[in-house]
Every structure is written in structure tokens, then in C-alpha cells.
Amino acid sequence: MAEPGVYQKHIAAASYAFLMLVVGVPVWWKTTEVYRAYVPYSDIANLETLSVLQKANVLLITTDAEDSHLRGPIFQKTLSQSNMYDISLASRVPHHSENEIVENAVDISEIDEKIGSRLMKDNPGSVAFLEVPSKLFTEIPHIVV
């Protein structure tokens, strides 16, 4: 005959296994499942037909008013060839205070600090091009972004 308590040990082991199967496996299954969100495939396919235009404002500041009237339309024509962007262009000459800053500047970063933040503060996401003297450039090409 078996020792006393062996039967109880087998019952305890079987009970543990039963509880793991009945409680543990479903809890494990639920806590490790991957959430699958609904994906609207037909709506995604319809996005291809949408015309998407990104609107942007461009400000062109040239040192000469006549130059501004010449460069502005050429620049606008070049920008209008894009089928992704709807660009509106405004051109002007620099204000007196801007002119003084540009004339007295030692380098481009000084102009950027003093004028750059003010130019488009009311139009976030817009771009401004400011004509500056070539003496401020130490490298070629003479374009600063």
C-alpha cells in the first residue's frame, strides 16, 4: 500500500494543473492578445483620387523695387508649376529698419537673429526670402535656408 499523504500530493499536483488550465491559460490568452483595429480599406483606396494641395505663403524681399517687380512674377511662375503646392507670393522692398540691419550686419546669422524671427511670426509655416549683400557670404552657393 502507498504511504500516507502520497495520494494527497497527487491530488494537490492535479489540482494545481487543473487551475492553471482553467484559470491561467484563459488569463494568459486574454492579456497577450494583439488588438486588431478596424481598417477601412475602401476609404484608404479612395484617398488616391483626392487632390492634395499644400498651401504656402512666400515673401520675397529685394533691395530694389524695380528688381522686386521683375523677380516676383518670374518666381511666381516657377512656383506655380508645382502640382503639390498652392503658393501665394508677395514681394516688397525692405523696411528702413530692416535695411539698416542688413547694411550693418557682420554675418548672415546676425540678420537671421534680428530680422528672421519677425518676418513670418504671424504666418507660421511660411517662407521668406531676403536679398542680402554678397559680402556676407564666405562660401558658394550664396543661398541660406
Side-chain angles (χ1 to χ4, degrees):
M1 202 150 168
E3 289 179 31
V6 171
Y7 181 69
Q8 290 174 343
K9 289 179 184 177
H10 289 305
I11 293 291
S15 299
Y16 180 77
F18 178 76
L19 280 175
M20 283 297 113
L21 288 173
V22 171
V23 177
V25 171
V27 169
W28 167 79
W29 189 269
K30 185 66 179 167
T31 59
T32 59
E33 75 180 352
V34 176
Y35 172 71
R36 303 285 183 192
Y38 167 72
V39 179
Y41 291 106
S42 60
D43 293 344
I44 293 171
N46 291 337
L47 290 176
E48 183 180 13
T49 60
L50 285 178
S51 173
V52 179
L53 281 177
Q54 176 67 41
K55 294 187 182 260
N57 297 320
V58 175
L59 175 61
L60 176 63
I61 304 171
T62 59
T63 54
D64 184 20
E66 186 177 320
D67 214 18
S68 176
H69 293 300
L70 292 174
R71 288 185 189 178
I74 294 170
F75 201 50
Q76 178 71 42
K77 183 179 177 185
T78 303
L79 296 174
S80 68
Q81 293 174 357
S82 172
N83 59 0
M84 293 179 60
Y85 299 99
D86 179 19
I87 299 176
S88 63
L89 176 73
S91 59
R92 66 171 175 86
V93 294
H95 299 302
H96 180 68
S97 61
E98 294 171 342
N99 230 357
E100 283 182 9
I101 293 170
V102 170
E103 289 173 2
N104 298 325
V106 177
D107 60 3
I108 296 287
S109 62
E110 183 180 342
I111 295 172
D112 190 36
E113 286 173 17
K114 294 180 179 177
I115 299 176
S117 60
R118 293 184 309 165
L119 282 177
M120 304 310 278
K121 72 177 179 182
D122 296 331
N123 295 316
S126 298
V127 179
F129 293 96
L130 173 65
E131 184 178 10
V132 296
S134 60
K135 69 177 183 174
L136 298 175
F137 292 98
T138 56
E139 298 176 10
I140 295 179
H142 300 309
I143 297 175
V144 176
V145 180

